[in-house]
């Protein structure tokens, strides 16, 4: 990839990387379609994506199709989200959470249950036309099973449990704050910062 960017290689195909503008769009689409196929065949399915923005129409349609096939989808989208969750018959299996806290985050995580053989990709790309088609962006797979577990349990689960900074996107495009109902407050950024300070 580096040789390609510097002009020393004509390489356009990659064994593990998803690289825009070459194969990132098609690669993400194939992974979402695979999850949809797993759902239709009764295998374990789930999509959990963390990104800054979701605006690409083709990706929105694929996520709707996955939801309609029975895939449970959690989207952590900090900013603009053009998908509407909870629409009957369209996106009933999709939940969208926006978390805006002390830190301006730029991490992107794409987690695929893959019928029980879970895969996680990390990288730089939002699901926007400019990122998929007009920029150099890279997603890479996390190959160490211990790191996969750590990202799922120690990062994504913390964000999903946030009930302080999280806002939940509604089918009408509005956002609602969660009701604590006596639950212990969870501020995901604070929790991750405190964990890092203890671990460090």
């Amino acid at each position: 990839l580096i040789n390609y960017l510097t002009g020393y290689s004509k390489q356009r195909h990659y064994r593990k990387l998803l690289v825009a503008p070459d194969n990132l769009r098609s690669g993400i689409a194939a992974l979402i379609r695979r999850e949809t196929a797993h759902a239709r065949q009764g295998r374990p399915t789930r999509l959990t994506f963390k990104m800054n923005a979701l605006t690409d129409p083709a990706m929105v349609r694929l996520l709707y199709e996955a939801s309609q096939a029975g895939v449970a989808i959690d989207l952590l989208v900090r900013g603009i989200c053009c998908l509407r969750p909870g629409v009957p018959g369209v996106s009933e299996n999709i939940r969208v959470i926006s978390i805006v806290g002390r830190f301006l985050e730029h991490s992107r995580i794409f987690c695929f249950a893959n019928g029980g053989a879970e895969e996680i990709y990390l990288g730089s790309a939002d699901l926007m036309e400019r990122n998929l088609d007009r920029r150099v962006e890279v997603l890479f797979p996390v190959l160490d099973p211990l790191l996969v577990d750590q990202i799922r349990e120690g990062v994504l689960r913390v964000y999903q449990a946030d009930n302080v900074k999280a806002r939940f996107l509604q089918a009408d495009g509005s956002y609602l704050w969660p009701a604590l109902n006596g639950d212990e407050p969870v501020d995901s950024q604070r929790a991750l910062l405190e964990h890092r300070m203890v671990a460090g």
Side-chain angles (χ1 to χ4, degrees):
L1 173 62
I2 299 301
N3 285 338
Y4 167 61
L5 292 175
T6 57
Y8 285 100
S9 170
K10 294 183 179 180
Q11 175 75 20
R12 302 293 292 270
H13 303 284
Y14 306 91
R15 292 187 297 273
K16 297 186 182 298
L17 299 180
L18 299 178
V19 180
D22 294 327
N23 69 339
L24 178 55
R25 175 183 287 280
S26 61
I28 288 288
L31 292 168
I32 296 172
R33 289 191 181 102
R34 183 185 66 183
E35 211 67 25
T36 302
H38 283 316
R40 289 174 175 154
Q41 294 165 12
R43 291 193 286 265
T45 62
R46 177 172 288 277
L47 295 171
T48 307
F49 293 173
K50 180 182 183 297
M51 67 194 103
N52 287 349
L54 170 57
T55 63
D56 185 77
M59 291 295 164
V60 170
R61 285 193 296 270
L62 284 172
L63 291 169
Y64 283 156
E65 291 171 14
S67 172
Q68 291 161 31
V71 180
I73 302 172
D74 264 337
L75 301 175
L76 299 156
V77 185
R78 191 192 74 200
I80 300 172
C81 182
C82 293
L83 177 149
R84 294 291 179 91
V87 177
V90 177
S91 56
E92 292 167 300
N93 292 313
I94 303 178
R95 180 174 73 156
V96 178
I97 306 171
S98 171
I99 298 174
V100 180
R102 172 183 172 187
F103 301 106
L104 183 64
E105 296 187 42
H106 289 285
S107 57
R108 280 82 169 189
I109 305 172
F110 297 87
C111 182
F112 303 85
N114 189 28
E118 187 175 36
E119 293 181 359
I120 289 182
Y121 286 77
L122 305 180
S124 61
D126 290 317
L127 296 186
M128 306 175 71
E129 289 175 292
R130 72 183 187 193
N131 296 90
L132 298 171
D133 300 325
R134 298 194 298 274
R135 289 184 176 179
V136 176
E137 306 275 2
V138 179
L139 295 181
F140 62 91
V142 178
L143 302 179
D144 186 329
L146 292 177
L147 291 178
V148 169
D149 289 343
Q150 184 176 353
I151 292 167
R152 185 200 331 108
E153 299 300 328
V155 178
L156 290 175
R157 290 274 194 269
V158 176
Y159 284 114
Q160 291 168 315
D162 194 307
N163 56 15
V164 174
K165 298 296 186 180
R167 298 173 301 147
F168 290 80
L169 181 60
Q170 307 299 298
D172 64 0
S174 64
Y175 285 86
L176 291 181
W177 298 95
L180 286 178
N181 296 322
D183 297 333
E184 182 179 349
V186 178
D187 180 332
S188 56
Q189 289 190 351
R190 179 182 291 275
L192 291 169
L193 178 62
E194 290 175 352
H195 175 75
R196 172 61 182 149
M197 291 173 68
V198 170

